[in-house]
C-alpha cells in the first residue's frame, strides 16, 4: 500500500472512531425527552421491524449482526414494555415473529423525528448536495460493515 493510501485509511479510521464517540455523547447530552423514550437497541430493532415487517429472532439477530441471545433479551424487554408483540410464524408454526405495536411505532417515530431535527440543525449550513453525499457514503460504509461481518 502506498503511504497516501495508508494515510487516507488512517484518517477514515480516526473519523469513524470520533463519529461513534461524538454520536454517543450527543445522544446522551441531548436533554429532550424525545431522544430518551427508547434506548439505542430498542430504536434500531423497531426501525428494522418497521421497514422489514415481522421477523423471527434469528432473522433479526442476523440483520443486526447480534447474537440471538442478545436479541432475545432485548425483544423480551420490548415486549414487557408493550412495544412489540409476538405472533405465530406463518411460515413455521413452531416459531414466532415479532412486530411493533402502535405504541412502539409511536415512540420510534418520536425518536426518529427528534434525531432528524438534530441532524437538520447540525447540517443546516451544508449544501443539499453535501448532505446527499454524506447520506450515500454513510450508507455505503454501513453496507460494507454488514457484508464484512456476514463473511466472518
Amino acid at each position: 500500500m502506498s503511504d497516501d493510501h495508508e494515510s487516507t485509511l488512517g484518517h477514515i479510521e480516526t473519523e469513524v472512531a470520533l463519529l461513534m464517540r461524538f454520536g454517543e455523547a450527543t445522544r446522551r447530552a441531548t436533554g429532550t425527552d424525545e431522544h430518551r423514550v427508547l434506548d439505542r437497541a430498542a430504536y434500531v430493532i423497531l426501525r428494522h421491524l418497521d421497514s422489514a415487517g415481522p421477523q423471527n429472532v434469528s432473522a433479526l439477530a442476523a440483520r443486526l449482526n447480534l447474537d440471538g441471545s442478545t436479541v432475545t433479551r432485548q425483544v423480551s424487554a420490548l415486549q414487557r414494555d408493550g412495544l412489540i408483540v409476538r405472533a405465530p410464524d406463518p411460515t413455521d408454526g413452531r416459531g414466532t415473529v415479532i412486530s411493533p405495536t402502535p405504541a412502539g411505532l409511536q415512540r420510534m417515530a418520536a425518536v426518529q423525528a427528534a434525531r432528524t431535527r438534530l441532524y437538520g440543525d447540525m447540517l443546516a449550513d451544508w449544501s443539499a448536495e453535501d448532505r446527499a453525499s454524506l447520506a450515500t457514503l454513510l450508507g455505503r460504509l454501513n453496507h460494507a460493515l454488514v457484508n464484512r461481518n456476514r463473511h466472518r
Side-chain angles (χ1 to χ4, degrees):
M1 281 190 226
S2 71
D3 287 342
D4 282 347
H5 183 71
E6 286 192 27
S7 174
T8 299
L9 293 177
H11 189 191
I12 291 168
E13 183 281 326
T14 299
E15 294 300 329
V16 169
L18 289 171
L19 174 67
M20 293 176 4
R21 171 68 187 104
F22 293 147
E24 181 60 23
T26 299
R27 186 189 68 77
R28 281 194 319 269
T30 301
T32 65
D33 290 337
E34 292 167 309
H35 286 269
R36 298 175 189 264
V37 296
L38 288 173
D39 66 30
R40 182 179 47 219
Y43 178 73
V44 170
I45 289 171
L46 288 166
R47 284 291 308 261
H48 178 65
L49 292 173
D50 184 41
S51 66
Q55 302 276 297
N56 64 35
V57 169
S58 60
L60 192 56
R63 174 61 178 97
L64 300 177
N65 195 39
L66 294 170
D67 182 75
S69 63
T70 299
V71 173
T72 298
R73 281 192 307 276
Q74 292 169 341
V75 163
S76 293
L78 287 166
Q79 185 175 16
R80 195 171 45 251
D81 292 342
L83 304 177
I84 60 105
V85 292
R86 295 177 191 255
D89 187 336
T91 63
D92 175 6
R94 298 168 294 160
T96 60
V97 292
I98 300 138
S99 301
T101 63
L105 291 174
Q106 182 181 19
R107 284 197 198 177
M108 182 212 64
V111 172
Q112 183 181 16
R115 288 180 175 188
T116 299
R117 282 191 304 276
L118 176 67
Y119 286 110
D121 291 346
M122 287 190 304
L123 302 175
D125 62 344
W126 288 36
S127 70
E129 293 80 17
D130 283 350
R131 288 191 305 268
S133 293
L134 178 62
T136 298
L137 293 172
L138 286 172
R140 286 177 60 192
L141 177 60
N142 281 325
H143 183 74
L145 289 167
V146 167
N147 283 340
R148 172 154 174 78
N149 289 328
R150 282 190 184 144
H151 295 102
R152 291 183 76 198

